[in-house]
Amino acid sequence: MIRQIATLLSGNALSQFVNVVTILFVVTAYFSPAEFGRYAVLMSYVGILSTIACLRYEMAIVSVRRSRVANNMVLLCLVIATAFSAVVFAGFHFAKFLVGDAFLLGASSFLIVALIYLKAIDQICAAVLYRHEAYLTYSVLKFIQALVLLAGFLAVGLMGHGVKGLLYSTVCAYAVFALAGIIAVRQYDVRSGVYIRRMSAMFRKYADFVKFNAPQALIDNLMTNGLNFVLVALAGPTVVGYFNYMQRILRAPLGLVFGAVSQVVFRFSAKNVTNPKLVTEKLRQIFVVIVLILVSAITAILLVHAYFSELTFLRDWIGMRDYMIAFAAWMLVPYLFSPFATLPVVYDHQKTFFKLAATFNLCSLALLSVIISKGSVVAAFWVAALVSLVYFSGLNVWMFRVAGHGR
């Protein structure tokens, strides 16, 4: 398992290096914090809705034992994602009829839905690759996607096309991953044994994904991406720009790294669910790696904060220094648990985890909103970070006990 994680980490390190370069040197050079903030608000719709575009059935592609069942889940996910995107498109048009296009900041609803659909296809392709442990292939695709995004952002910045150009660049990056992913997964004969009746049976059999995992994922993403809507309404687009700069530089790279770890942990635990001693031993090893990564990230943030005024490429973003430590603390704490967040699926504890996560995330978002509305963004994120530290530490204790007892 450690070797597989190392493969994913090395591949993702390359793609994340490109993404960091894109934000550090392209976004800061050609886009203002407010402009990047508006782009981030629009991408929040994509982040929230794409997560449940397949109703989380893509997780079954990785976890089920039989290949034919997994193949039927692939088709089911494609059907659900297509229908979901059509419903969202209709919903956007209805909302525009009622309140105008202000909620999309004047952007095309078709463009936002295209991003949602393409990201859903990316998730399906990734699930197939994870199932077949094609971690190197996945890493190469993410690297290509990052290069396309860098080229797109640079071209848009040079031509001065603003937020709309950023969205088109993102569409291109998602489309390249989707096309390359479809080509890559064809070798696994994903159409074998696929029938409508089997697909319908799988939809009913794995309904817990819809009942528990999809709502939990939706609430999790509302917690993360929904903050952009709170910040833009209560603090303005410039603070949103600062917040999302930190997201892209800190949380997005760590998210991909820990997401890769989570998928490997998920697959390993599902295969060895009858050997709890082996699983818990590996989980402890993973936790040590998590702590080392987070300590490294904290050290880097403190160094940047100390020498912020000397970083000339950030001279137009100098106001971010006041927020970055609080933002970083809130962003880093959840990674204490995120690599183990898929384990409730393996051990049939989705319902319990959903209740815990939904309650905490809704309360945390409410707490942040109330404190921000009082005019203190920094205090809001510090309070939320400290509360989160207690919560995620408790989840780790619970999950390790569950894994120790097996299914």
Side-chain angles (χ1 to χ4, degrees):
M1 184 167 69
I2 299 299
R3 178 182 59 82
Q4 294 167 335
I5 292 175
T7 301
L8 274 173
L9 290 183
S10 59
N12 282 336
L14 289 174
S15 62
Q16 284 311 305
F17 175 77
V18 175
N19 286 332
V20 168
V21 168
T22 302
I23 302 301
L24 278 177
F25 302 112
V26 177
V27 169
T28 55
Y30 297 106
F31 304 98
S32 68
E35 199 168 28
F36 187 60
R38 288 190 289 272
Y39 166 74
V41 170
L42 293 171
M43 287 303 296
S44 293
Y45 288 106
V46 180
I48 293 169
L49 296 174
S50 65
T51 305
I52 58 167
C54 301
L55 301 181
R56 302 295 284 174
Y57 277 102
E58 72 273 13
M59 295 187 70
I61 297 172
V62 182
S63 62
V64 296
R65 292 184 177 274
R66 297 178 59 189
S67 295
R68 288 191 176 183
V69 175
N71 291 347
N72 279 275
M73 300 308 295
V74 171
L75 179 59
L76 176 62
C77 288
L78 286 172
V79 171
I80 293 173
T82 304
F84 182 87
S85 299
V87 170
V88 171
F89 185 68
F92 279 168
H93 271 273
F94 182 69
K96 288 174 70 174
F97 174 76
L98 292 178
V99 301
D101 61 357
F103 73 103
L104 289 179
L105 306 180
S108 165
S109 57
F110 178 79
L111 197 58
I112 304 301
V113 172
L115 284 166
I116 293 169
Y117 186 60
L118 286 170
K119 193 169 183 182
I121 293 176
D122 291 355
Q123 290 166 179
I124 296 169
C125 293
V128 176
L129 294 174
Y130 278 128
R131 174 176 179 80
H132 294 278
E133 300 180 355
Y135 301 119
L136 180 59
T137 301
Y138 174 79
S139 298
V140 170
L141 295 184
K142 293 301 295 184
F143 180 62
I144 294 171
Q145 184 185 49
L147 289 175
V148 172
L149 195 66
L150 170 60
F153 274 29
L154 181 59
V156 168
L158 291 171
M159 292 185 290
H161 286 176
V163 175
K164 184 177 291 186
L166 291 175
L167 291 174
Y168 278 115
S169 299
T170 310
V171 167
C172 290
Y174 284 4
V176 166
F177 186 99
L179 179 60
I182 290 169
I183 294 171
V185 303
R186 289 182 64 186
Q187 64 180 300
Y188 302 115
D189 195 19
V190 294
R191 293 180 293 178
S192 176
V194 175
Y195 297 100
I196 298 298
R197 68 176 186 276
R198 286 181 181 173
M199 187 179 71
S200 300
M202 294 303 102
F203 181 83
R204 294 189 297 271
K205 181 177 180 180
Y206 295 96
D208 278 358
F209 285 106
V210 183
K211 293 178 181 178
F212 306 118
N213 206 284
Q216 177 195 321
L218 178 62
I219 293 170
D220 285 347
N221 275 274
L222 280 173
M223 174 65 191
T224 303
N225 293 287
L227 268 177
N228 286 324
F229 301 120
V230 173
L231 288 171
V232 76
L234 300 177
T238 298
V239 175
V240 178
Y242 296 151
F243 178 71
N244 281 273
Y245 185 94
M246 292 292 297
Q247 290 267 47
R248 298 303 181 92
I249 293 297
L250 180 63
R251 191 164 189 167
L254 287 176
L256 273 182
V257 170
F258 283 111
V261 175
S262 176
Q263 289 295 335
V264 175
V265 169
F266 181 36
R267 183 65 179 156
F268 179 86
S269 301
K271 289 171 62 177
N272 297 280
V273 69
T274 57
N275 190 348
K277 183 178 180 180
L278 175 62
V279 172
T280 52
E281 179 184 347
K282 295 297 182 181
L283 294 184
R284 291 191 185 97
Q285 294 175 6
I286 296 300
F287 186 74
V288 173
V289 174
I290 292 168
V291 172
L292 292 174
I293 293 174
L294 291 180
V295 169
S296 300
I298 292 168
T299 303
I301 289 296
L302 292 175
L303 287 173
V304 171
H305 186 266
Y307 295 99
F308 196 93
S309 59
E310 299 179 22
L311 302 175
T312 56
F313 63 90
L314 288 173
R315 61 181 178 273
D316 295 329
W317 291 62
I318 191 66
M320 185 171 63
R321 188 177 188 273
D322 296 333
Y323 300 92
M324 62 183 303
I325 299 296
F327 284 165
W330 180 82
M331 292 175 186
L332 289 175
V333 170
Y335 291 119
L336 287 171
F337 176 73
S338 66
F340 313 123
T342 54
L343 292 182
V345 176
V346 176
Y347 295 101
D348 299 325
H349 279 69
Q350 290 187 79
K351 185 175 181 179
T352 301
F353 184 50
F354 165 66
K355 290 179 179 179
L356 291 170
T359 301
F360 173 78
N361 287 331
L362 289 174
C363 291
S364 183
L365 182 59
L367 178 65
L368 280 165
S369 301
V370 169
I371 300 177
I372 292 172
S373 69
K374 302 298 181 181
S376 183
V377 175
V378 173
F381 279 88
W382 271 117
V383 171
L386 294 174
V387 173
S388 297
L389 180 61
V390 176
Y391 167 72
F392 286 110
S393 298
L395 279 184
N396 272 342
V397 173
W398 171 65
M399 201 65 255
F400 274 63
R401 286 180 179 175
V402 170
H405 288 89
R407 178 175 289 168

